[in-house]
Amino acid sequence: MTDKKFATQAVRAGINSDEHHKAVVAPLHLSSTYALNGFNDKGAFDYSRTGNPTRALFADALAQLEGGSVGIVTATGMAAAHVIVQTLTKDDLLVIPHDCYGGSYRLYTHLAAKGQFKLKVVDQTNDQAFAEAMALKPTLTLVETPSNPLLRLVDIKRIVEQAKAVGSLVAVDNTFLSPVLQQPLALGADIVFHSTTKFINGHSDMVGGAVITKDKALGETLAWWANCIGVTGSAFDSYLAMRGLKTLPLRIKQHQQNANAVAQYLADHPAVAHVYYPGLASHPDHELAKQQQKDFGSMMSFELVGGVDAVKKLFDGLSLFTLAQSLGGVESLISHPSTMTHAGMELDAQKAAGIGQNLVRLSVGIEDIDDILADLEQGLAASQS
Ligand SMILES: *Cc1c(COP(=O)(O)O)cnc(C)c1O
């Protein structure tokens, strides 16, 4: 399948793989255990934590779409974030961005506090700070672009060059864009990981993650660890996510079209003070986004005119957008980073990170754009009443 175009690879994931019954769609294998061929003669699978046929097909499909050699499907995105640091030892240094996903920040700071590895948290858009971090010769450098919730970008190619120069591997959290819009391995990264809960599954009905490596040996080592610590994904969740994966390129097209329209609409609205969306020419990373990404994604945030009261009125005034965290599903979601996704951060730290009380985040879904804009119109009018 590697000779086929992206959308074809996504649709064909697992198709015609069933040798036994010739099922067109890959069957869901729930069995936890598999019989040996005979004494000391194992087949391809023996126990589902270690290997499962449904999960294996999903893992292979993801590896193909990211242009990697090994795919590992994990129980959650956080499990994927955990797997990638399993090879680090107490003297190894991990470098993470200061504005990475809150759960990743919590995981890495707590593991480092227990002495599992050394940690440096850095603003990767600050060239000097990043160069200083690289001078410490990290073992692994984590990148997350665009960032949450302000959609700031970092230049993956440049980070890779600087990291490679000091012998560091680079891992990229590609959850916000999916391989349809950004391909970190092609930009030189060694590891890509995902919360498949978001765009890859796309229907907000499972939780999962994945790790994809360029290098086969590294992938096999991380797969060994995923089995060892027991964080491999379930067969059922793999089945659901592989079903979602088939429409990923199609969904992203519609997400993209709607998001562009929403960003333009918000940018011109008097109740909106500022829009953070890399697709707008006013965004500081607009040019980088054009180079590094195939399009701008469907996540955005904006500052509302007024304070928390206006935010509450906005939420109360909406009927289509659902007030919920998470992202990347077919349905449009709205959230308040300060009290939801970033509630774990002190208010001062939020302020320093540019997360105000009037900041609102959108995951633009694939409903009809007329209904999306009408809902925002109604909510924004209510916010200023
Ligand atoms: C959601 C998310 C995660 C964590 O994934 P879970 O599936 O919730 O464990 C990691 N990184 C990013 C960017 C996310 O949005």
Side-chain angles (χ1 to χ4, degrees), residues 132-197:
E132 281 167 19
M134 288 300 106
L136 301 171
K137 297 201 186 321
T139 308
L140 180 63
T141 302
L142 185 78
V143 174
E144 190 178 318
T145 176
S147 72
N148 179 25
L150 295 176
L151 287 303
R152 292 185 179 132
L153 271 71
V154 291
D155 188 334
I156 297 175
K157 247 187 195 160
R158 240 182 85 198
I159 297 242
V160 164
E161 267 167 33
Q162 288 170 279
K164 287 280 127 86
V166 296
S168 172
L169 293 177
V170 175
V172 179
D173 183 338
N174 205 23
T175 300
F176 261 42
L177 290 176
S178 91
V180 178
L181 297 178
Q182 178 167 273
Q183 305 224 308
L185 298 184
L187 298 170
D190 304 283
I191 301 169
V192 175
F193 68 103
H194 281 278
S195 167
T196 57
T197 314

Side-chain angles (χ1 to χ4, degrees), residues 76-78 101 104 144 173 175-176 195 197-198 207-208 327:
T76 64
M78 288 317 304
Y101 179 71
S104 306
E144 190 178 318
D173 183 338
T175 300
F176 261 42
S195 167
T197 314
K198 316 293 168 55
V207 176
L327 58 113

Side-chain angles (χ1 to χ4, degrees), residues 22 24 57 106 137 152 261 316 338 340 362 364 367 380:
K22 308 278 176 195
V24 173
L57 288 172
R106 178 176 58 192
K137 297 201 186 321
R152 292 185 179 132
D316 289 344
S338 175
M340 295 168 67
L362 299 182
V364 179
E367 301 92 340
L380 289 170

Side-chain angles (χ1 to χ4, degrees), residues 223-266:
W224 184 90
W225 275 108
N227 174 53
C228 178
I229 59 177
V231 296
T232 48
S234 82
F236 189 67
D237 289 337
S238 301
Y239 181 87
L240 282 178
M242 188 156 66
R243 177 174 157 132
L245 180 68
K246 293 171 192 298
T247 56
L248 177 68
L250 187 64
R251 280 185 282 115
I252 294 278
K253 257 188 213 164
Q254 194 60 46
H255 276 294
Q256 197 57 73
Q257 204 176 320
N258 288 355
N260 283 326
V262 168
Q264 295 296 340
Y265 167 82
L266 292 174

Side-chain angles (χ1 to χ4, degrees), residues 311-328:
V311 172
K312 189 180 174 304
K313 286 185 202 161
L314 165 69
F315 292 167
D316 289 344
L318 295 167
S319 55
L320 184 71
F321 275 84
T322 304
L323 177 59
Q325 27 189 342
S326 198
L327 58 113

